[in-house]
């Protein structure tokens, strides 16, 4: 149980294009999903928190117009990097926290991540 | 919660060795401490979550302890195996339940 998929696993795009990353909870309903970013040799940094059916809450310093988050259902959240630039090249990873039976610990279940390279 | 420190940054051990890692965090505004294991090209896997001072958790050869008063947690691996090779992440949370990750400890176990 508690499997989260993420697609694509890697993407290369040209500067100025937009890239969409999908995060799905496969066997549970995710009331909350999180998006993180990791630069080389750095820790995972929370970008935003999204609750199903409501607007995402962004962390300080993360541009909401650049990183569009949609959490339209209890099993799917998407992150769109708009007008991507080389400095947006990073590892993006999502996690989900949900309504698993007996789940009270607040544990987040992670996808495998997406490596974005912007040329 | 800021300033989560993990040490050492990396560790190379021989199969059969036991090892331990440290996670240090500010003790104020503490709610829970999560440990994850992250193997290359896979999803981070939840190992433990602990909330109370003195908590100890065990999963097979891996165990963890928590000291909330002084702000640290230890992760122990007894008799390391090559399949234990991974990056081990700790992440305390405050009341807002947001995970604040350390940089992780990369363990490499030689056969």
């Amino acid at each position: 149980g508690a499997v989260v998929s993420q697609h694509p696993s890697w993407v290369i795009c040209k500067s100025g294009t937009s890239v969409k990353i999908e995060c799905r909870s496969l066997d549970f309903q995710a009331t909350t999903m999180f998006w993180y970013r990791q630069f080389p040799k750095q820790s995972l940094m929370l970008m935003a928190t999204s609750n199903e059916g409501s607007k995402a809450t962004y962390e300080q310093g993360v541009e909401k117009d650049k990183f569009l988050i949609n959490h339209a259902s209890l099993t799917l959240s998407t992150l769109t990097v708009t007008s991507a630039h080389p400095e947006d090249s990073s590892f993006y990873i999502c996690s989900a926290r949900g309504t698993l039976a007996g789940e009270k610990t607040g544990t987040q279940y992670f996808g495998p991540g997406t490596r974005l390279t912007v040329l | 919660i800021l300033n989560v420190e993990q040490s050492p940054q990396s560790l190379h051990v021989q199969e059969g060795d036991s090892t331990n890692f440290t996670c240090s965090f500010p003790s104020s505004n503490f709610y829970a401490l999560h440990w994850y294991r992250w193997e290359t090209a896979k999803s981070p896997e939840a190992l433990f979550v602990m909330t109370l001072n003195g908590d100890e958790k065990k999963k097979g050869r891996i165990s963890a302890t928590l000291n909330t008063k002084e702000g640290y947690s230890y992760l122990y691996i007894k008799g390391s195996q090559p399949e234990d090779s991974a990056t081990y992440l700790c992440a305390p949370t405050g009341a807002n339940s947001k995970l604040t990750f350390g940089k992780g400890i990369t363990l490499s176990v030689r056969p």
Side-chain angles (χ1 to χ4, degrees):
Chain A
V3 179
V4 176
S5 70
Q6 197 170 329
H7 179 81
S9 56
W10 60 270
V11 57
I12 301 173
C13 69
K14 293 182 178 179
S15 185
T17 60
S18 295
V19 174
K20 180 184 284 189
I21 303 169
E22 291 188 350
C23 178
R24 292 180 186 272
S25 57
L26 299 185
D27 52 4
F28 68 101
Q29 292 185 323
T31 51
T32 307
M33 285 185 168
F34 304 84
W35 287 95
Y36 295 82
R37 179 169 54 182
Q38 184 183 39
F39 291 108
K41 300 189 185 299
Q42 299 300 310
S43 56
L44 291 171
M45 294 296 295
L46 180 65
M47 299 175 66
T49 303
S50 75
N51 292 295
E52 186 264 338
S54 62
K55 289 184 178 180
T57 303
Y58 291 80
E59 295 300 302
Q60 192 173 8
V62 178
E63 299 175 56
K64 63 179 182 179
D65 294 330
K66 181 163 187 64
F67 299 100
L68 301 179
I69 292 172
N70 185 283
H71 190 166
S73 77
L74 284 172
T75 59
L76 173 64
S77 176
T78 60
L79 168 69
T80 301
V81 183
T82 62
S83 186
H85 290 283
E87 58 265 29
D88 299 322
S89 298
S90 187
F91 184 79
Y92 294 85
I93 190 168
C94 70
S95 70
R97 187 178 69 202
T99 57
L100 292 168
E103 176 59 70
K104 296 181 180 179
T105 60
T107 297
Q108 294 179 24
Y109 299 95
F110 283 82
T114 298
R115 174 74 58 192
L116 170 64
T117 301
V118 185
L119 302 177
Chain B
I1 294 182
L2 302 174
N3 200 28
V4 179
E5 299 289 338
Q6 289 190 250
S7 61
Q9 285 189 340
S10 64
L11 202 54
H12 298 265
V13 302
Q14 194 69 37
E15 181 176 355
D17 289 348
S18 293
T19 186
N20 65 84
F21 315 135
T22 304
C23 172
S24 300
F25 51 88
S27 55
S28 60
N29 197 31
F30 173 85
Y31 184 76
L33 190 285
H34 297 251
W35 279 101
Y36 285 84
R37 174 171 60 198
W38 194 359
E39 295 179 64
T40 303
K42 294 185 178 180
S43 303
E45 173 196 357
L47 286 175
F48 304 115
V49 55
M50 296 176 286
T51 57
L52 299 176
N53 185 47
D55 263 354
E56 292 187 30
K57 293 285 180 78
K58 187 175 181 181
K59 187 177 182 179
R61 293 179 290 99
I62 305 176
S63 60
T65 61
L66 177 65
N67 183 320
T68 61
K69 293 184 178 180
E70 297 182 42
Y72 64 84
S73 175
Y74 292 142
L75 186 79
Y76 302 91
I77 302 178
K78 183 178 179 181
S80 301
Q81 299 296 309
E83 58 264 31
D84 296 328
S85 298
T87 296
Y88 291 83
L89 303 171
C90 75
T93 69
N96 61 13
S97 297
K98 293 182 182 179
L99 298 175
T100 301
F101 283 93
K103 290 185 179 180
I105 298 162
T106 301
L107 173 66
S108 176
V109 183
R110 295 186 299 271

